Coordinates of all heavy atoms in Angstrom, one line a residue:
Q1 N -14.3 -15.9 1.2 CA -13.4 -15.9 0.0 C -14.2 -15.7 -1.3 O -15.4 -16.1 -1.4 CB -12.7 -17.2 -0.1 CG -11.6 -17.4 0.9 CD -10.7 -18.6 0.6 OE1 -11.0 -19.4 -0.2 NE2 -9.6 -18.6 1.3
V2 N -13.5 -15.1 -2.2 CA -14.1 -14.9 -3.6 C -13.2 -15.7 -4.6 O -12.0 -15.6 -4.4 CB -14.1 -13.4 -3.9 CG1 -14.6 -13.2 -5.3 CG2 -14.9 -12.6 -2.9
G3 N -13.8 -16.3 -5.5 CA -13.0 -17.0 -6.5 C -13.9 -17.9 -7.4 O -15.1 -17.9 -7.3
S4 N -13.2 -18.8 -8.2 CA -14.0 -19.6 -9.1 C -14.2 -21.1 -8.5 O -14.9 -21.9 -9.1 CB -13.3 -19.7 -10.4 OG -11.9 -20.2 -10.3
A5 N -13.6 -21.4 -7.4 CA -13.6 -22.7 -6.8 C -15.0 -23.0 -6.2 O -15.7 -22.1 -5.7 CB -12.6 -22.9 -5.8
N6 N -15.4 -24.2 -6.2 CA -16.6 -24.6 -5.5 C -16.4 -24.4 -4.0 O -15.3 -24.6 -3.5 CB -16.9 -26.1 -5.7 CG -17.4 -26.4 -7.1 OD1 -18.0 -25.5 -7.8 ND2 -17.1 -27.6 -7.6
G7 N -17.4 -23.9 -3.3 CA -17.3 -23.8 -1.9 C -16.9 -22.4 -1.4 O -16.9 -22.2 -0.2
V8 N -16.5 -21.5 -2.3 CA -16.1 -20.1 -1.8 C -17.4 -19.4 -1.6 O -18.5 -19.7 -2.1 CB -15.3 -19.4 -2.9 CG1 -13.9 -20.0 -3.0 CG2 -15.9 -19.2 -4.2
A9 N -17.4 -18.4 -0.8 CA -18.6 -17.6 -0.4 C -19.2 -16.9 -1.6 O -20.4 -16.8 -1.7 CB -18.3 -16.6 0.7
L10 N -18.4 -16.3 -2.5 CA -18.8 -15.6 -3.7 C -18.1 -16.2 -4.9 O -16.9 -16.0 -5.0 CB -18.6 -14.1 -3.6 CG -18.9 -13.3 -4.8 CD1 -20.4 -13.4 -5.1 CD2 -18.6 -11.8 -4.5
Q11 N -18.8 -17.0 -5.6 CA -18.2 -17.7 -6.8 C -18.4 -16.9 -8.1 O -19.5 -16.5 -8.4 CB -18.9 -19.1 -6.9 CG -18.1 -20.0 -7.9 CD -18.7 -21.4 -7.9 OE1 -19.9 -21.6 -7.8 NE2 -17.8 -22.4 -8.1
L12 N -17.3 -16.6 -8.7 CA -17.2 -15.8 -9.9 C -16.6 -16.7 -11.0 O -15.7 -17.5 -10.7 CB -16.5 -14.5 -9.7 CG -16.9 -13.6 -8.7 CD1 -16.0 -12.4 -8.5 CD2 -18.3 -13.1 -9.0
Y13 N -16.9 -16.4 -12.3 CA -16.3 -17.1 -13.4 C -15.7 -16.1 -14.3 O -16.2 -15.1 -14.6 CB -17.4 -17.9 -14.1 CG -18.0 -19.0 -13.2 CD1 -19.2 -18.8 -12.7 CD2 -17.3 -20.2 -13.0 CE1 -19.8 -19.7 -11.8 CE2 -17.9 -21.2 -12.2 CZ -19.1 -20.9 -11.6 OH -19.7 -21.9 -10.8
G14 N -14.6 -16.6 -14.9 CA -13.9 -15.8 -15.9 C -12.5 -16.3 -16.1 O -11.9 -16.9 -15.2
P15 N -11.9 -16.0 -17.2 CA -10.5 -16.6 -17.5 C -9.5 -16.0 -16.6 O -8.4 -16.7 -16.4 CB -10.3 -16.1 -18.9 CG -11.2 -15.0 -19.2 CD -12.4 -15.2 -18.3
T16 N -9.7 -14.9 -15.9 CA -8.6 -14.4 -15.0 C -9.0 -14.5 -13.5 O -8.3 -14.0 -12.7 CB -8.3 -12.9 -15.3 OG1 -9.5 -12.1 -15.2 CG2 -7.8 -12.8 -16.7
I17 N -10.1 -15.1 -13.2 CA -10.5 -15.3 -11.8 C -9.9 -16.6 -11.3 O -10.1 -17.7 -11.8 CB -12.1 -15.4 -11.7 CG1 -12.8 -14.2 -12.3 CG2 -12.5 -15.6 -10.2 CD1 -12.5 -12.9 -11.6
Q18 N -9.1 -16.5 -10.2 CA -8.4 -17.6 -9.6 C -9.4 -18.4 -8.7 O -10.4 -17.9 -8.3 CB -7.2 -17.1 -8.8 CG -6.2 -16.3 -9.5 CD -5.6 -17.1 -10.6 OE1 -5.2 -18.2 -10.4 NE2 -5.5 -16.6 -11.8
P19 N -9.1 -19.7 -8.5 CA -10.0 -20.5 -7.7 C -10.2 -19.9 -6.3 O -11.3 -19.8 -5.8 CB -9.2 -21.8 -7.6 CG -8.4 -21.9 -8.8 CD -8.0 -20.5 -9.1
R20 N -9.2 -19.3 -5.7 CA -9.3 -18.6 -4.4 C -8.6 -17.3 -4.7 O -7.4 -17.1 -4.5 CB -8.6 -19.4 -3.3 CG -9.1 -20.8 -3.1 CD -9.5 -21.1 -1.7 NE -9.9 -22.5 -1.5 CZ -11.1 -22.9 -1.8 NH1 -12.0 -22.1 -2.3 NH2 -11.5 -24.2 -1.6
H21 N -9.4 -16.3 -5.1 CA -8.9 -15.1 -5.6 C -8.6 -14.0 -4.6 O -7.4 -13.5 -4.5 CB -9.9 -14.5 -6.6 CG -9.3 -13.5 -7.6 ND1 -8.9 -13.8 -8.8 CD2 -9.2 -12.1 -7.4 CE1 -8.4 -12.7 -9.4 NE2 -8.6 -11.7 -8.6
C22 N -9.5 -13.7 -3.7 CA -9.3 -12.7 -2.7 C -10.3 -13.0 -1.5 O -11.2 -13.8 -1.6 CB -9.5 -11.3 -3.2 SG -11.2 -10.9 -3.8
V23 N -10.1 -12.2 -0.5 CA -10.9 -12.3 0.7 C -11.5 -10.9 0.9 O -10.8 -9.9 1.0 CB -10.1 -12.7 2.0 CG1 -11.0 -12.6 3.2 CG2 -9.6 -14.1 1.8
L24 N -12.9 -10.9 1.1 CA -13.6 -9.7 1.5 C -14.0 -9.9 3.0 O -14.5 -11.0 3.3 CB -14.8 -9.5 0.7 CG -14.6 -9.0 -0.7 CD1 -15.9 -9.1 -1.5 CD2 -14.2 -7.5 -0.7
A25 N -13.7 -9.0 3.8 CA -14.0 -9.1 5.2 C -14.6 -7.8 5.8 O -14.3 -6.8 5.3 CB -12.8 -9.5 6.0
A26 N -15.5 -8.0 6.8 CA -16.1 -6.9 7.4 C -16.0 -7.1 8.9 O -16.4 -8.1 9.5 CB -17.6 -6.7 7.1
N27 N -15.3 -6.2 9.6 CA -15.0 -6.3 11.1 C -15.2 -4.9 11.7 O -14.5 -4.0 11.3 CB -13.6 -6.8 11.4 CG -13.4 -8.2 10.9 OD1 -14.2 -9.1 11.3 ND2 -12.5 -8.4 10.0
D28 N -16.2 -4.8 12.6 CA -16.4 -3.5 13.3 C -16.7 -2.4 12.3 O -16.2 -1.3 12.5 CB -15.3 -3.2 14.2 CG -15.1 -4.2 15.4 OD1 -16.1 -4.7 15.9 OD2 -14.0 -4.5 15.8
G29 N -17.4 -2.7 11.3 CA -17.8 -1.6 10.3 C -16.7 -1.3 9.3 O -16.9 -0.4 8.5
V30 N -15.6 -2.0 9.3 CA -14.5 -1.8 8.4 C -14.5 -2.9 7.4 O -14.4 -4.1 7.8 CB -13.1 -1.7 9.1 CG1 -12.0 -1.5 8.1 CG2 -13.1 -0.5 10.1
V31 N -14.6 -2.6 6.1 CA -14.6 -3.6 5.1 C -13.2 -3.6 4.4 O -12.7 -2.5 4.0 CB -15.7 -3.3 4.0 CG1 -15.7 -4.4 2.9 CG2 -17.0 -3.3 4.7
T32 N -12.6 -4.8 4.2 CA -11.3 -4.9 3.6 C -11.4 -5.9 2.5 O -12.2 -6.8 2.4 CB -10.2 -5.3 4.6 OG1 -10.6 -6.6 5.1 CG2 -10.0 -4.3 5.7
V33 N -10.4 -5.8 1.5 CA -10.2 -6.8 0.5 C -8.7 -7.1 0.5 O -7.9 -6.3 0.7 CB -10.7 -6.3 -0.9 CG1 -10.0 -5.0 -1.3 CG2 -10.6 -7.4 -1.9
Q34 N -8.4 -8.4 0.3 CA -7.0 -8.9 0.2 C -6.9 -9.9 -0.8 O -7.5 -11.0 -0.8 CB -6.6 -9.4 1.6 CG -5.2 -9.9 1.6 CD -4.7 -10.4 3.0 OE1 -5.5 -10.4 3.9 NE2 -3.5 -10.7 3.1
P35 N -6.0 -9.6 -1.9 CA -5.7 -10.7 -2.9 C -5.0 -11.8 -2.2 O -4.2 -11.6 -1.2 CB -4.8 -10.0 -3.8 CG -4.9 -8.5 -3.5 CD -5.3 -8.4 -2.1
L36 N -5.2 -13.0 -2.7 CA -4.6 -14.2 -2.0 C -3.3 -14.7 -2.7 O -2.6 -15.5 -2.0 CB -5.6 -15.3 -2.0 CG -6.8 -15.1 -1.1 CD1 -7.8 -16.2 -1.1 CD2 -6.3 -14.9 0.4
H37 N -3.0 -14.2 -3.9 CA -1.7 -14.5 -4.4 C -1.4 -13.6 -5.6 O -2.2 -12.8 -6.0 CB -1.5 -16.0 -4.9 CG -2.7 -16.5 -5.7 ND1 -2.7 -16.2 -7.1 CD2 -3.8 -17.2 -5.4 CE1 -3.8 -16.7 -7.6 NE2 -4.5 -17.3 -6.6
A38 N -0.2 -13.7 -6.1 CA 0.3 -12.7 -7.2 C -0.6 -12.7 -8.4 O -0.7 -11.7 -9.1 CB 1.7 -13.0 -7.5
D39 N -1.2 -13.8 -8.8 CA -2.0 -13.9 -10.0 C -3.4 -13.5 -9.8 O -4.2 -13.5 -10.7 CB -1.9 -15.3 -10.6 CG -0.6 -15.6 -11.1 OD1 0.2 -14.7 -11.6 OD2 -0.2 -16.8 -11.1
A40 N -3.8 -13.0 -8.6 CA -5.1 -12.6 -8.2 C -5.3 -11.1 -8.5 O -5.1 -10.3 -7.6 CB -5.5 -13.0 -6.8
Y41 N -5.5 -10.8 -9.7 CA -5.6 -9.4 -10.1 C -6.8 -8.8 -9.4 O -8.0 -9.1 -9.7 CB -5.7 -9.2 -11.6 CG -4.4 -9.6 -12.3 CD1 -4.1 -10.9 -12.6 CD2 -3.5 -8.6 -12.6 CE1 -2.9 -11.2 -13.2 CE2 -2.3 -8.8 -13.2 CZ -2.0 -10.2 -13.5 OH -0.8 -10.4 -14.1
T42 N -6.6 -7.8 -8.5 CA -7.6 -7.2 -7.8 C -7.3 -5.7 -7.8 O -6.2 -5.3 -7.5 CB -7.6 -7.7 -6.3 OG1 -7.8 -9.1 -6.4 CG2 -8.8 -7.1 -5.5
Y43 N -8.3 -4.9 -8.1 CA -8.1 -3.4 -8.2 C -9.1 -2.7 -7.3 O -10.3 -3.1 -7.2 CB -8.4 -3.0 -9.7 CG -7.4 -3.6 -10.6 CD1 -7.6 -4.9 -11.1 CD2 -6.3 -2.9 -11.1 CE1 -6.7 -5.4 -12.0 CE2 -5.4 -3.4 -12.0 CZ -5.6 -4.7 -12.5 OH -4.8 -5.3 -13.4
V44 N -8.7 -1.6 -6.7 CA -9.5 -0.7 -6.0 C -9.3 0.7 -6.6 O -8.2 1.2 -6.7 CB -9.2 -0.6 -4.5 CG1 -10.0 0.4 -3.8 CG2 -9.4 -2.0 -3.8
N45 N -10.4 1.2 -7.1 CA -10.4 2.5 -7.8 C -9.4 2.6 -9.0 O -8.7 3.5 -9.2 CB -10.2 3.7 -6.8 CG -11.4 3.9 -5.9 OD1 -12.5 3.5 -6.2 ND2 -11.1 4.4 -4.7
G46 N -9.3 1.5 -9.7 CA -8.4 1.4 -10.8 C -7.0 1.1 -10.5 O -6.2 0.9 -11.4
Q47 N -6.6 1.0 -9.3 CA -5.2 0.7 -8.9 C -5.1 -0.7 -8.4 O -5.8 -1.1 -7.5 CB -4.8 1.7 -7.7 CG -4.8 3.1 -8.1 CD -3.8 3.5 -9.2 OE1 -2.6 3.0 -9.1 NE2 -4.2 4.2 -10.2
R48 N -4.2 -1.4 -9.0 CA -4.0 -2.8 -8.6 C -3.5 -2.8 -7.1 O -2.6 -2.1 -6.8 CB -3.0 -3.5 -9.5 CG -2.9 -5.0 -9.1 CD -2.2 -5.8 -10.2 NE -2.1 -7.2 -9.7 CZ -1.2 -8.0 -10.2 NH1 -0.3 -7.7 -11.1 NH2 -1.2 -9.3 -9.7
I49 N -4.0 -3.7 -6.3 CA -3.6 -3.9 -5.0 C -2.9 -5.2 -4.8 O -3.2 -6.2 -5.5 CB -4.7 -3.7 -3.9 CG1 -5.8 -4.8 -4.1 CG2 -5.3 -2.3 -4.0 CD1 -6.8 -4.9 -3.0
H50 N -2.0 -5.2 -3.8 CA -1.2 -6.5 -3.6 C -1.3 -6.9 -2.1 O -0.8 -7.9 -1.7 CB 0.3 -6.2 -3.9 CG 0.5 -5.9 -5.3 ND1 0.5 -6.8 -6.3 CD2 0.6 -4.7 -5.9 CE1 0.7 -6.2 -7.5 NE2 0.8 -4.9 -7.3
H51 N -1.9 -6.0 -1.3 CA -2.0 -6.3 0.2 C -3.4 -5.9 0.6 O -4.2 -5.3 -0.2 CB -1.0 -5.4 0.9 CG 0.4 -5.6 0.5 ND1 1.1 -6.7 0.8 CD2 1.2 -4.8 -0.2 CE1 2.3 -6.6 0.3 NE2 2.4 -5.4 -0.4
M52 N -3.8 -6.2 1.8 CA -5.1 -5.9 2.4 C -5.3 -4.4 2.2 O -4.4 -3.6 2.5 CB -5.2 -6.3 3.8 CG -6.5 -6.0 4.4 SD -6.6 -6.3 6.2 CE -6.3 -8.1 6.2
T53 N -6.5 -4.0 1.8 CA -6.9 -2.6 1.5 C -8.2 -2.4 2.1 O -9.2 -3.2 2.0 CB -6.9 -2.4 0.0 OG1 -5.6 -2.6 -0.5 CG2 -7.3 -0.9 -0.3
I54 N -8.4 -1.3 2.8 CA -9.7 -0.9 3.4 C -10.5 -0.3 2.3 O -10.0 0.6 1.5 CB -9.5 0.1 4.5 CG1 -8.7 -0.6 5.7 CG2 -10.8 0.7 5.0 CD1 -8.3 0.4 6.8
L55 N -11.8 -0.7 2.2 CA -12.7 -0.2 1.2 C -13.6 0.9 1.9 O -13.9 0.8 3.1 CB -13.6 -1.3 0.7 CG -12.9 -2.4 -0.1 CD1 -13.9 -3.5 -0.5 CD2 -12.1 -1.9 -1.3
Q56 N -13.9 1.9 1.2 CA -14.8 3.0 1.6 C -16.0 3.1 0.8 O -16.0 2.5 -0.3 CB -14.0 4.3 1.5 CG -12.7 4.3 2.2 CD -12.7 5.0 3.6 OE1 -13.6 5.7 3.9 NE2 -11.7 4.7 4.4
V57 N -17.0 3.8 1.2 CA -18.2 4.0 0.4 C -17.8 4.6 -0.9 O -17.0 5.5 -0.9 CB -19.2 4.9 1.2 CG1 -20.4 5.2 0.3 CG2 -19.7 4.2 2.5
C58 N -18.4 4.1 -2.0 CA -18.2 4.6 -3.4 C -16.9 4.2 -4.0 O -16.6 4.6 -5.1 CB -18.3 6.1 -3.5 SG -20.0 6.7 -3.1
Y59 N -16.1 3.3 -3.3 CA -14.9 2.8 -3.9 C -15.3 1.7 -5.0 O -16.3 1.1 -4.8 CB -14.0 2.1 -2.9 CG -13.0 3.0 -2.2 CD1 -13.2 4.4 -2.1 CD2 -11.9 2.5 -1.6 CE1 -12.3 5.2 -1.5 CE2 -11.0 3.3 -0.9 CZ -11.2 4.6 -0.8 OH -10.3 5.4 -0.2
H60 N -14.6 1.6 -6.0 CA -14.8 0.6 -7.0 C -13.9 -0.6 -6.9 O -12.7 -0.4 -6.8 CB -14.7 1.2 -8.4 CG -15.7 2.3 -8.7 ND1 -16.5 2.2 -9.8 CD2 -16.0 3.4 -8.1 CE1 -17.3 3.3 -9.8 NE2 -17.0 4.0 -8.8
L61 N -14.5 -1.8 -6.9 CA -13.7 -3.0 -6.7 C -13.8 -3.8 -8.0 O -14.9 -4.1 -8.5 CB -14.2 -3.8 -5.5 CG -13.6 -5.2 -5.3 CD1 -12.1 -5.1 -5.0 CD2 -14.3 -5.9 -4.2
N62 N -12.7 -4.1 -8.6 CA -12.6 -4.9 -9.8 C -11.8 -6.2 -9.5 O -10.7 -6.1 -9.0 CB -12.0 -4.2 -11.0 CG -12.8 -3.1 -11.5 OD1 -14.0 -3.3 -11.8 ND2 -12.3 -1.9 -11.5
I63 N -12.3 -7.3 -9.9 CA -11.6 -8.6 -9.6 C -11.4 -9.3 -10.9 O -12.1 -10.2 -11.3 CB -12.5 -9.5 -8.6 CG1 -12.7 -8.7 -7.3 CG2 -11.8 -10.8 -8.4 CD1 -13.6 -9.4 -6.4
H64 N -10.4 -8.8 -11.7 CA -10.0 -9.4 -13.0 C -8.9 -8.5 -13.5 O -8.6 -7.5 -13.0 CB -11.2 -9.5 -13.9 CG -11.8 -8.1 -14.2 ND1 -11.3 -7.3 -15.3 CD2 -12.8 -7.5 -13.7 CE1 -12.0 -6.2 -15.3 NE2 -12.9 -6.3 -14.3
I65 N -8.4 -8.9 -14.7 CA -7.4 -8.0 -15.4 C -8.2 -6.9 -16.1 O -9.1 -7.2 -16.9 CB -6.6 -8.8 -16.4 CG1 -5.7 -9.9 -15.6 CG2 -5.7 -7.9 -17.2 CD1 -5.0 -10.8 -16.5
I66 N -7.8 -5.7 -15.9 CA -8.5 -4.6 -16.6 C -7.5 -4.0 -17.6 O -6.4 -4.2 -17.6 CB -9.0 -3.5 -15.7 CG1 -8.1 -3.1 -14.6 CG2 -10.3 -3.9 -15.1 CD1 -8.6 -2.0 -13.7

């Protein structure tokens, strides 16, 4: 998990980072990102995502309001 809470795997700070913001996962060479709730602003290549999204090489991941 990624977020601002203690105990998450990747701890980030900022006014728009939720305590449990999103999940990054890697399974069988496939990397995904999934926002954990509606206020978890997560973007892939500038597009806000609301569901699990597969990441590819050279994709840009933003975890905040842009």
Side-chain angles (χ1 to χ4, degrees):
Q1 284 190 349
V2 177
S4 61
N6 290 331
V8 296
L10 178 59
Q11 191 173 34
L12 302 175
Y13 298 100
T16 60
I17 304 296
Q18 300 299 312
R20 304 231 184 278
H21 199 93
C22 64
V23 173
L24 285 169
N27 295 303
D28 296 323
V30 177
V31 178
T32 60
V33 59
Q34 180 175 2
L36 293 176
H37 52 80
D39 293 331
Y41 289 85
T42 306
Y43 298 82
V44 173
N45 291 334
Q47 298 294 316
R48 185 169 179 201
I49 62 168
H50 301 278
H51 305 286
M52 182 184 297
T53 300
I54 295 173
L55 299 177
Q56 306 261 342
V57 173
C58 296
Y59 275 20
H60 293 239
L61 175 63
N62 292 305
I63 302 173
H64 62 87
I65 296 174
I66 45 178

